[in-house]
Each structure stands twice: as C-alpha cells, then as structure tokens.
Amino acid sequence: MRVTIIHEAGYEAALFGIGLSFGLTSDINAHDFIWDNAALWDRMEKRAKALAGMGQGHDKFLRQLMMWVDVDAPLYWWKQFDQYGHTVTQSESTMHTLMKRELTQDDFENEIDPRLISLINSFINAGAFQMANGHLPHSFLQRRIVSMNYATAFTIIQQRTGHKLPEWKLFIDEIKRQAQHGFLFANIKKKQEADDRV
C-alpha cells in the first residue's frame, strides 16, 4: 500500500471564516487577510487548533480544508474506505486496465499463489474480462486519487485508529505525517473515548 498527499487547499479561507465567527476579520478585505498581520494569523491558527475536534459545528472549518491523496491499496481496504461518503475518487478502472498486461506478484498487497496469477493471466491472454475480473483476489491493488476534507480525515483517524487491518495504520500515519496542517489532528481521541465524552 502507498499513500501520498499530492495537493491541499483552503487553509487561508477557512481561517478567515474562523475570524468572521469571532468578529476578528469582519473589517478586513478577504484578499488582504493576514498576509501582513502575523499576530492575527497566529491567533487564528491557535483558534483553529483549539476548535479542531470539538464537534457540534465548532470545527466546521475543517470541511473547508481539502486534500487530494494518491492511494494504491488492496480491494479489501477500499471496501471499508468507501463507507466515507464525503470523498470523491477517481481510479484505475479494472474495466479499462485489467486486460492491458499480465499480472505479477507486485499487483497484490499480499503474496498470492502463483497458480492463481497464472490462471488470471490465462484469462487476460484469452481476452476473457469477466473471468479475469471474477477471479481477482481482494488483495489486488487499485490506485485511486481521493479528494476529501480535513473533517473526513479527522473522522477516519478517529474511527480507524487501532483497526485490525494494518493498512489503516499506514494510511493514518501517512495522512498525519504528510498533511500540511497536521497539527489540527492533535485533538483526536479514539472513537470510544469520544463517545464516552458525549
């Protein structure tokens, strides 16, 4: 599995919005916001860190922070990831890519019986898409570009920390490590801890 954040956007606009909520940026032109006011910028970042994870609408600014992530993951992981509805994905479609070449062990997350790879390749060579696709193991790697906001990433980290699939640990570690504003994830509590607070 491989996870790479390729782009992020919306941070400055989200901070400007936080300032509006507290009347701190109401008299400032949005185009001039904070670029020349380090004290206000610092204040908004501290406010963002304090609000992140509060829930109940206090951290709605997280929905305005977007990230695009390049993920190469097994089908069994994608089945779980797809439950997060506030994401958009574009993928290497098996319909268009499966028949382009023979598969190798590198196309799978875990080691696959070479006889199964050989069988799938026989279907590929025969042009039998349905048979090749129908025999793909769940560990087949599919690459997708995912767009999601920080609020969704926050939820994923909260809900999937400690999950038994090791791919979730890798995904979470990489998102936290690579995110430009990863400090916003500092207030995350495990789902059970969060539920206990309610």
Side-chain angles (χ1 to χ4, degrees):
M1 182 173 180
R2 184 182 46 75
V3 178
T4 307
I5 296 176
I6 56 176
H7 184 65
E8 292 191 38
Y11 187 66
E12 293 82 6
L15 288 189
F16 187 82
I18 290 172
L20 288 175
S21 297
F22 294 95
L24 301 173
T25 56
S26 299
D27 296 330
I28 299 173
N29 181 312
H31 294 290
D32 301 328
F33 171 57
I34 293 183
W35 313 142
D36 60 353
N37 190 334
L40 184 57
W41 177 263
D42 185 55
R43 189 171 178 187
M44 291 300 90
E45 284 195 313
K46 286 179 182 172
R47 177 68 62 185
K49 186 174 181 178
L51 292 172
M54 287 186 72
Q56 300 177 343
H58 297 293
D59 58 2
K60 63 186 170 191
F61 75 95
L62 292 173
R63 296 191 302 253
Q64 295 183 316
L65 303 176
M66 295 297 300
M67 67 173 67
W68 287 260
V69 189
D70 184 354
V71 183
D72 200 6
L75 295 176
Y76 61 77
W77 184 83
W78 283 118
K79 288 193 317 183
Q80 292 185 4
F81 182 85
D82 285 341
Q83 85 167 13
Y84 295 100
H86 298 290
T87 63
V88 177
T89 64
Q90 297 181 81
S91 68
E92 285 182 324
S93 166
T94 51
M95 175 67 97
H96 299 296
T97 61
L98 180 60
M99 306 301 282
K100 299 274 186 192
R101 61 174 177 78
E102 287 192 355
L103 301 181
T104 69
Q105 197 68 242
D106 291 338
D107 292 305
F108 302 92
E109 178 76 355
N110 305 305
E111 188 171 340
I112 300 299
D113 186 331
R115 293 173 296 176
L116 180 55
I117 295 174
S118 181
L119 176 65
I120 296 168
N121 284 335
S122 71
F123 295 137
I124 290 171
N125 291 329
F129 170 77
Q130 285 186 311
M131 293 298 288
N133 192 40
H135 284 81
L136 273 180
H138 285 293
S139 63
F140 179 72
L141 294 168
Q142 184 182 57
R143 186 176 180 190
R144 298 184 191 183
I145 302 300
V146 176
S147 63
M148 63 182 172
N149 59 40
Y150 267 58
T152 299
F154 200 100
T155 299
I156 289 170
I157 294 167
Q158 184 179 60
Q159 292 179 350
R160 298 297 174 156
T161 294
H163 194 279
K164 61 185 168 184
L165 283 182
E167 289 83 3
W168 280 113
K169 178 173 178 11
L170 188 149
F171 181 81
I172 289 167
D173 288 349
E174 289 303 310
I175 293 298
K176 289 165 76 173
R177 183 180 69 77
Q178 295 178 40
Q180 291 176 8
H181 313 290
F183 71 92
L184 294 172
F185 300 130
N187 295 336
I188 293 179
K189 306 282 189 267
K190 283 188 176 179
K191 177 131 178 42
Q192 186 59 49
E193 294 175 37
D195 291 344
D196 290 345
R197 286 182 295 155
V198 176

